[in-house]
Amino acid sequence: MKMFGLLLASVMLMLTVACGNSSKDKESTDDKAPATATETKTETKTDDTAAASDKKIVLGFSQVGAESGWRTANTKSVQDSAKEAGFDLKFSDAQQKQENQIKAIRSFIQQKVDVIAFSPVVESGWDTVLKEAKDAGIPVILTDRAVDSTDTTLYQTFIGSDFVEEGRSAGKWLVDTYKDAKEPVNIVELEGTTGSAPANDRKAGFDEVIAQNPNLKVIASQTGDFTRAKGKEVMQSFLKAHKDIDVLYAHNDDMALGAIQAIEAAGLVPGKDIVIISVDGVHDGFVAASEGKINFIVECNPLLGPQLMQAVRDVYEGKEVPKRIVTKEGVFTSEDAKRELPNRQY
């Protein structure tokens, strides 16, 4: 019995030691578990941060269409600049229809792009879709053309030309050219797309300045939709209706180039029999000006891509941007065009 008691005491002591070691081992394992979890969490957070920094900015861009050489150059500038900036560009061509642009903007909202930019076909009718973008938390940038919304919180900035000033520049040259005129100077006007900002503003600026000389009279004004074909068609109508046209004021080069075809077909010399003023400054316009067929060009720079991408990045990063960003532009006589033609990028 004494031997049995000693044996039992030894077994109990061993069990106590074993239990103690087991508890200590579990404690040690539990201490390590939180550290492992923390390390995993830290690694995940680092991966998320890296993914966010590598994320491409997604830009939805709705273009008016491809109605002119200017627009083609503008589109290329946007696409090339987006690629250079490393953005994911979602591009849509509205084919000069507002309903197509509204549909495109709503598609961009559904795709949850980071920023929306577009060149409005016309000035009015945008509040509803722009409010939808604002409610979705997607900032909007206007390029080339503005909207007439009184709620300026619906867009971040407008990048483009001062169309009114372009019209004034055209008018100033004409006033100076005919400052000594004693007889009426009859002007026909090829307007841009009805309701569009450049058409409205280029007309307003031009009319404002030529009012200084009562001899300068606009005897006919009609839209040519900014296209060469329509410019030719409308100019043909002008020539049939009026035998005493002195000046043509075209809101863009393509309409002026179409009008030149009509003038030449009528047996007249463009630039001499009819003085021609145009806006844009695309390559074909400069060629015509260098040949004396266009007398004066007011530049409207289409290369807005770099400015747009910088604005997109700033808006995406939450930086403050000016509400209005004006592009730098010049004016060119026929002689200026001869010198400048080799340097034109569009």
Side-chain angles (χ1 to χ4, degrees):
M1 289 295 293
K2 187 174 182 179
M3 286 293 292
F4 177 76
L6 289 171
L7 182 61
L8 181 61
S10 298
V11 170
M12 291 297 292
L13 180 61
M14 289 175 66
L15 286 172
T16 301
V17 171
C19 288
N21 286 343
S22 175
S23 175
K24 185 175 180 182
D25 288 345
K26 184 175 185 302
E27 231 174 37
S28 175
T29 303
D30 289 345
D31 287 345
K32 288 180 182 178
T36 304
T38 301
E39 287 167 9
T40 303
K41 187 175 180 181
T42 301
E43 288 172 5
T44 303
K45 186 175 181 182
T46 302
D47 291 344
D48 289 345
T49 303
S53 63
D54 292 340
K55 179 184 177 297
K56 282 188 173 183
I57 295 175
V58 182
L59 169 63
F61 184 81
S62 176
Q63 181 61 284
V64 171
E67 77 283 4
S68 64
W70 191 99
R71 190 64 55 189
T72 300
N74 179 245
T75 293
K76 187 175 186 302
S77 177
V78 170
Q79 292 174 331
D80 289 350
S81 298
K83 184 177 180 180
E84 185 176 343
F87 295 171
D88 181 1
L89 178 67
K90 309 291 184 185
F91 184 88
S92 175
D93 183 340
Q95 299 178 333
Q96 293 184 278
K97 295 180 180 178
Q98 184 178 32
E99 58 268 31
N100 289 346
Q101 281 199 309
I102 291 174
K103 183 179 178 181
I105 293 169
R106 286 186 170 139
S107 174
F108 294 151
I109 294 170
Q110 290 175 351
Q111 294 177 62
K112 298 180 180 178
V113 302
D114 296 310
V115 181
I116 293 172
F118 76 112
S119 299
V121 174
V122 294
E123 287 188 293
S124 301
W126 301 103
D127 283 28
T128 299
V129 72
L130 291 182
K131 189 173 186 307
E132 291 171 17
K134 182 179 178 181
D135 291 343
I138 301 175
V140 173
I141 295 173
L142 307 177
T143 71
D144 174 42
R145 301 180 178 183
V147 299
D148 63 4
S149 175
T150 56
D151 184 358
T152 57
T153 67
L154 295 177
Y155 59 92
Q156 300 297 310
T157 186
F158 164 46
I159 304 171
S161 305
D162 186 333
F163 300 132
V164 174
E165 191 57 37
E166 288 174 353
R168 287 178 184 142
S169 294
K172 287 173 185 175
W173 181 83
L174 190 63
V175 167
D176 185 61
T177 300
Y178 286 94
K179 63 183 179 216
D180 298 324
K182 304 300 182 185
E183 301 294 327
V185 176
N186 295 326
I187 307 163
V188 293
E189 182 176 19
L190 282 169
E191 299 180 37
T193 303
T194 301
S196 68
N200 293 342
D201 293 351
R202 285 170 186 166
K203 180 174 182 58
F206 183 76
D207 289 348
E208 172 194 316
V209 174
I210 67 169
Q212 299 171 15
N213 186 340
N215 286 320
L216 300 177
K217 299 182 181 297
V218 177
I219 59 173
S221 186
Q222 187 176 326
T223 180
D225 268 340
F226 286 126
T227 68
R228 197 172 299 198
K230 191 71 173 176
K232 179 180 180 180
E233 177 188 323
V234 176
M235 192 65 200
Q236 287 172 335
S237 298
F238 286 161
L239 289 166
K240 288 178 182 178
H242 306 279
K243 302 301 181 185
D244 52 353
I245 299 171
D246 300 304
V247 177
L248 164 65
Y249 169 44
H251 287 192
N252 82 334
D253 288 344
D254 277 79
M255 290 190 295
L257 292 166
I260 286 171
Q261 294 174 2
I263 292 168
E264 290 178 330
L268 300 172
V269 180
K272 291 184 179 179
D273 294 328
I274 297 178
V275 170
I276 299 177
I277 305 169
S278 181
V279 183
D280 268 0
V282 297
H283 183 269
D284 287 353
F286 263 69
V287 170
S290 68
E291 295 171 347
K293 296 179 180 181
I294 294 178
N295 304 83
F296 189 70
I297 292 178
V298 179
E299 184 179 36
C300 181
N301 187 356
L303 307 181
L304 305 181
Q307 284 180 296
L308 173 59
M309 298 314 143
Q310 185 58 56
V312 168
R313 189 178 298 281
D314 288 345
V315 167
Y316 178 76
E317 294 176 354
K319 297 177 181 177
E320 188 174 345
V321 295
K323 204 67 180 178
R324 181 74 169 91
I325 301 173
V326 180
T327 54
K328 293 182 179 180
E329 297 161 341
V331 293
F332 304 87
T333 63
S334 293
E335 290 302 315
D336 295 332
K338 287 179 185 178
R339 291 191 297 270
E340 183 65 21
L341 180 58
N343 304 320
R344 299 308 284 175
Q345 297 180 44
Y346 51 91

